[in-house]
Amino acid sequence: MKKNWIRFCAFILLFASLFLLLNERYRHSDHYRSIFGAYKYENVPYGLQLVNFGTSHGEHAFGYDVVMGYEHFNFATNSQMLYFDYAILDTYQDHLAPGCVVAIPISYHSLYTPVEPQLEKFTPFYARFLPADKIPEYTLSEKLLYHYFPILSAKTDVLNTFAPILNYLTSPIFPGNEDEETVRLGAEYRAEHFYNYMEGAETSVQTQTPDYDEVNAVLGMLELCKQNGWNAVLLTTPFPPEFTDYFPKEFKEKFHDQIEELFLTPYPNAVYFDYSEDELFQSNYQFFADGDHIGFIGRPVFVDMFINDCKEVGFLA
Amino acid sequence: MLFNSVHFLLFFPVVVIVYFLFPPKIRWIWLLAASYYFYMSWNPYYAVLMVLSTVVTYASGILISNSNKKGNTRQKRLWIALSFGINLAILFFFKYFGFAVDSINSVLAWLNIQPVQVAFDVLLPVGISFYTFQALGYTVDIYREELPAERNLAKYALFVSFFPQLVAGPIERSVNLLSQIKKPTRLNYDNLRDGLSIMLWGLFEKIVIADRVGLIVDQVYNNYKEQGYSGVLLAIATVFFAIRIYCDFSGYTDIARGAAKVLGFDLMANFKQPYFATSIRDFWRRWHISLSTWFRDYLYIPLGGNRKGKARTHFNTFITFLVSGLWHGANWTFAAWGALHGIYQILGNVLKPARQKVLKVLHINTKPLSYRVVQAVFTFSLVCFAWIFFRAESIGEAFDIIKLIFSSFQLEYLHIFADKTLFSLGLTQHTFFLTLFCIGVLFTVNAIRTKTSVLSLFKRQNIAVQWFLYLLMLFLLLFVAIYDSDVVGQQFIYFQF
């Protein structure tokens, strides 16, 4: 009988050891590191002088290798909410140098898309590199599944625990330029999507009802900038004319008013650059990769423009 | 708290460890507390109903027992009628009130009369059908003097609320479970090992098979109109539903039995390879045994059983199955499902002489395995046909699906086996074939079970083989099971009853 209990305990130990080993191996696997480009957070440099956040609009606009002359990091990720922009800035604040320019892209829909319905979808991704206490409303199940034991949520990746996929660890490949017709059609389609069909925001974008989780996230970032002596730059990236024309004039006016009232009034040292209807971009379709993202050709033009604007307001030397 | 949830994963070991730390004579108190905690984790207010049912049946048990001693038949009939009346009234209100109102309103609408308006919604407490029947069975057992009334209210309360089988059975007989509650249990390695093994198998059935095939079933049944799915696909989905409901329910039962075993309790088997049945009658000896025997002992036999002539036997059979169907849910589809099984049984009995004559005339040998396989396939087809009603949202939808299956079952639709249609219904190619493989494992294990106990066979293997299989199963559950966030913690089908 004693032998049986010893065997039982030995089995439990064996299972626990194998599980923990596999879990660690998976955590270090190329697949785990590469999903959604989370690998980039493994090597965030120190002494950053220019950082950007945002969704794919910000991710494509700033690229990864076009910012010359400044220590730069692109914290933007596809569909990233302002909520997580703040969590990331808070986590990596030690990596920013004094006087760092913090670019916070705010697209037309950003302030109106509710956080709550999307948290569950995005939490597994952020659990890969953010500490558990930075991910709000983190349940015990989520902590176990996505943070401490990610192999439990690996899906088909579990089969790739031992497979090297080195090309996943290079910078994301951004698309080149589509032809003008594709950009025009895509722009209208994407604008319609943002205006009418954002998940959970089917009416709040049209009525421009701010989601206060998102608003508070931006305020949190502005406060961090103020406390740390960084320079906050709110911006809206360039879009093709078919995109911006879809939104009524009153919408754009109210959008600007809300930015002024919610962010610039309490934080007068912050600036807002609205590139959404920039003439240079709107008259050059080749600058765009698709209906709402800057492409290969437009990226250095945009970054140059942005850096010059930052210099003009004294944020960069 | 679902068995396949993180909450239960933490709850169960704590309950077991503390249970065995208690002195044996008072362990049941901890189990009672744990059982109520388990039940109240769904909704604390549900416990009020369970307490009411417990107190009513406890009191009536004592009153019936006293009447038995006095030989007062009239009085004991009164007490059992009261017990049934109160419990069934509660069950009816919470389970069938909305259904009754909807049905009445359908008739009123047909008669162009103003419908009945009800200003409230009634929530269905989890497990109410199960614990109500278990408690009522106890009162009938006392009435029949099969056991003495339980005088300890708290121990009786544990009998009603015993958490492993509380919300989805098996519906235990008082003779079996109550006697075990009164006997102190001791920590036993064999119970622990066997119990955990059975739980592991149950989780495999539920998480790896039931929840996976469920994705295909739901996709096809919920979208057959919009997507224009063919009869072939609907037939496949129906077969998958048959597998799903079996694995879901059998999985739950196995987890329940395994958990009880760990604690030192033996619960009755609820399934005995039902899809190997060679007739509908045989099917009901193998499917949801605790419920079918409950209806046999507490409804069919009191109605007269088969003791009052053929016509009355058929009537009793039909009523029993109709009620059984309605027990499953407040929808005419469940009634239709139950009625269909009743008709199957009646036809089976009526056609038996003719069937035997045909076999004799054609010199068909009924002993070979091939004959039994044909019988099993035929029975499975009949069962699957009935499952269409069980799964459909309405009678109309059931007939729609049946019509589609039989009218568009053409060769040209068999392309779904060649193109990737089957991998676009919720499972990737990988998981589809993995699931098929696991279904193969399931049927193989069930086939072995017809000859011998799989657990005993397993325990006779070398320790290395046992450990390897345990590890395989555990990792399969952990990785494949927690595969889709939509699938984690999916409710068991029978919880809705």
Side-chain angles (χ1 to χ4, degrees), chain B residues 12-26:
Chain B
F12 185 64
V14 167
V15 167
V16 171
I17 290 167
V18 174
Y19 178 75
F20 286 113
L21 287 174
F22 265 65
K25 284 196 176 148
I26 59 167

Side-chain angles (χ1 to χ4, degrees), chain B residues 108-399:
Chain B
L108 292 176
W110 186 64
L111 294 169
N112 283 321
I113 296 172
Q114 184 82 353
V116 171
Q117 300 289 347
V118 173
F120 55 88
D121 284 326
V122 181
L123 285 179
L124 176 62
V126 165
I128 190 170
S129 304
F130 289 90
Y131 70 70
T132 301
F133 269 39
Q134 185 156 307
L136 286 175
Y138 164 79
T139 53
V140 176
D141 292 343
I142 304 292
Y143 181 89
R144 290 175 179 170
E145 299 184 60
E146 287 177 15
L147 82 165
E150 177 54 53
R151 302 280 164 174
N152 185 321
L153 175 59
K155 281 188 180 174
Y156 177 71
L158 177 56
F159 161 71
V160 176
S161 66
F162 187 48
F163 78 87
Q165 44 91 234
L166 172 60
V167 292
I171 302 171
E172 270 297 334
R173 298 301 178 93
S174 49
V175 169
N176 182 37
L177 185 56
L178 210 42
S179 56
Q180 292 185 71
I181 286 170
K182 295 202 286 198
K183 243 184 335 187
T185 58
R186 297 194 180 276
L187 180 59
N188 179 299
Y189 173 78
D190 288 333
N191 283 344
L192 181 69
R193 180 200 50 208
D194 292 352
L196 289 175
S197 302
I198 296 169
M199 285 178 83
L200 209 55
W201 178 252
L203 284 168
F204 170 76
E205 288 176 295
K206 162 62 178 165
I207 297 176
V208 179
I209 301 178
D211 288 349
R212 303 248 104 66
V213 298
L215 294 174
I216 295 180
V217 172
D218 290 343
Q219 171 61 26
V220 174
Y221 264 75
N222 294 346
N223 300 293
Y224 72 94
K225 276 187 189 153
E226 297 87 350
Q227 301 292 336
Y229 289 133
S230 67
V232 173
L233 207 44
L234 279 162
I236 291 172
T238 303
V239 170
F240 275 141
F241 179 72
I243 294 169
R244 178 198 191 178
I245 193 164
Y246 169 64
C247 288
D248 196 281
F249 199 11
S250 173
Y252 177 90
T253 302
D254 283 337
I255 299 169
R257 293 181 70 223
K261 188 84 178 168
V262 168
L263 295 163
F265 295 88
D266 282 311
L267 298 181
M268 67 184 293
N270 220 4
F271 295 90
K272 281 188 179 148
Q273 305 85 49
Y275 292 143
F276 289 6
T278 51
S279 67
I280 293 293
R281 195 182 178 135
D282 188 25
F283 174 78
W284 281 102
R285 282 198 287 260
R286 297 163 177 260
W287 177 273
H288 201 174
I289 297 166
S290 65
L291 182 74
S292 58
T293 52
W294 195 100
F295 274 114
R296 179 196 66 200
D297 294 342
Y298 301 122
L299 180 61
Y300 178 72
I301 289 174
L303 281 175
N306 60 1
R307 289 173 280 122
K308 299 200 175 178
K310 275 191 183 160
R312 183 58 189 262
T313 302
H314 294 151
F315 175 77
N316 293 341
T317 302
F318 184 78
I319 292 298
T320 302
F321 276 96
L322 182 67
V323 172
S324 166
L326 277 170
W327 175 91
H328 281 82
N331 194 321
W332 289 114
T333 53
F334 296 113
W337 170 80
L340 196 49
H341 271 276
I343 291 168
Y344 282 160
Q345 294 251 30
I346 293 166
L347 283 176
N349 283 334
V350 163
L351 295 174
K352 189 175 175 181
R355 205 165 57 242
Q356 284 174 335
K357 199 164 185 182
V358 167
L359 290 170
K360 195 174 173 182
V361 162
L362 296 177
H363 298 290
I364 292 174
N365 187 352
T366 58
K367 299 236 181 328
L369 175 67
S370 54
Y371 181 77
R372 280 182 283 138
V373 168
V374 167
Q375 278 186 308
V377 168
F378 182 67
T379 304
F380 183 68
S381 307
L382 290 176
V383 168
C384 282
F385 183 84
W387 282 136
I388 295 173
F389 288 90
F390 198 93
R391 175 59 182 79
E393 295 293 328
S394 66
I395 299 280
E397 185 179 290
F399 279 115

Side-chain angles (χ1 to χ4, degrees), chain A residues 83-231:
Chain A
Y83 195 74
F84 284 110
D85 281 340
Y86 171 56
I88 292 169
L89 178 62
D90 193 26
T91 303
Y92 292 97
Q93 54 180 297
D94 293 343
H95 293 246
L96 275 62
C100 177
V101 169
V102 176
I104 307 169
I106 301 182
S107 301
Y108 286 162
H109 67 282
S110 298
L111 294 177
Y112 315 120
T113 312
V115 167
E116 187 59 43
Q118 307 200 67
L119 266 179
E120 200 182 315
K121 203 171 26 165
F122 290 109
T123 295
F125 166 67
Y126 291 101
R128 289 168 195 271
F129 58 92
L130 287 181
D133 64 326
K134 294 282 185 253
I135 300 173
E137 294 173 26
Y138 214 15
T139 62
L140 176 63
S141 298
E142 281 171 334
K143 272 192 187 131
L144 292 172
L145 284 175
Y146 303 119
H147 195 86
Y148 298 111
F149 305 112
I151 198 164
L152 295 178
S153 54
K155 300 192 181 184
T156 40
D157 277 358
V158 73
L159 300 170
N160 296 314
T161 302
F162 299 98
I165 310 256
L166 295 174
N167 62 333
Y168 276 33
L169 299 181
T170 57
S171 298
I173 309 293
F174 291 123
N177 287 88
E178 298 289 350
D179 60 85
E180 182 175 318
E181 188 61 24
T182 309
V183 173
R184 281 180 192 271
L185 288 171
E188 219 174 289
Y189 173 77
R190 292 290 290 165
E192 188 186 16
H193 167 74
F194 286 121
Y195 194 63
N196 295 308
Y197 302 115
M198 290 294 292
E199 189 187 338
E202 291 83 358
T203 53
S204 57
V205 174
Q206 291 169 29
T207 56
Q208 291 183 276
T209 311
D211 178 84
Y212 278 92
D213 285 326
E214 295 289 71
V215 168
N216 287 333
V218 176
L219 290 171
M221 293 174 85
L222 293 173
E223 184 59 31
L224 276 175
C225 290
K226 184 178 168 185
Q227 286 172 6
N228 292 282
W230 305 325
N231 297 304

